[in-house]
Amino acid sequence: QKEVEQDPGPLSVPEGAIVSLNCTYSNSAFQYFMWYRQYSRKGPELLMYTYSSGNKEDGRFTAQVDKSSKYISLFIRDSQPSDSATYLCAAFGPQDTGRRALTFGSGTRLQVQP
Amino acid sequence: DSGVTQTPKHLITATGQRVTLRCSPRSGDLSVYWYQQSLDQGLQFLIQYYNGEERAKGNILERFSAQQFPDLHSELNLSSLELGDSALYFCASSSSSGIAGTGELFFGEGSRLTVL
């Protein structure tokens, strides 16, 4: 079983829709959760970062972590064609600091249709 | 532009061959990470170097090796290549010795390896 699981999609939505992207994880030691965005033929770039449980909002993006159910979500409001990309969730925990790198999900490909 | 440079961008080679992928981290970053991205496995951590020393190892095969040089650039060597080694290989850098703060890694654009 992978430590971070993610539905690969693809997920196709019309412009303006609310998008919900989700991950589950199995390692209860994870405390830091991130969403990376990867455009085609590019490397991933950090989009959102959350520590422990709770919500974090940044413009049209909201990241949500529920540690009790080991569930990570990213919501995109008023989705735009420019949001079309692969979204990867990632996590790490205290034991990873200085010892290992981020554990990534396999990514969900999102297509926003104009 | 993340500031991380990877060469070559594309590489086609045959089974059994050896290739070297090169990475120049962002100016001032001491940590370099190598990741492999394939369709079925996603982003898999291979190895991390910090200021010339190996810091952490992930799912790196024995046929693969890496090093970080005094000027901080890094090379990933892949030998006895197999069809299954075809993938995107990413280098990422950070300023700290490990993942800290926001967990931000700065990724290059990757080297696409095709093994025929």
Side-chain angles (χ1 to χ4, degrees), chain A residues 36 38 42 49 92 99 101-102, chain B residues 35 37 56 99 103 105 109:
Chain A
Y36 275 75
Q38 184 177 16
K42 298 288 186 183
Y49 152 75
F92 73 99
R99 298 296 300 164
L102 299 178
Chain B
Y35 280 86
Q37 188 176 42
I99 303 296
L105 296 181
E109 296 195 348

Side-chain angles (χ1 to χ4, degrees), chain B residues 3 16-17 31 41-43 45 70 73 76-78 87-88 104 108 111:
Chain B
Q17 295 299 304
S31 270
Q41 292 292 321
L43 260 177
F45 169 62
H73 91 271
L76 179 66
N77 300 295
L78 315 174
L88 256 176
E104 183 164 20
S111 292

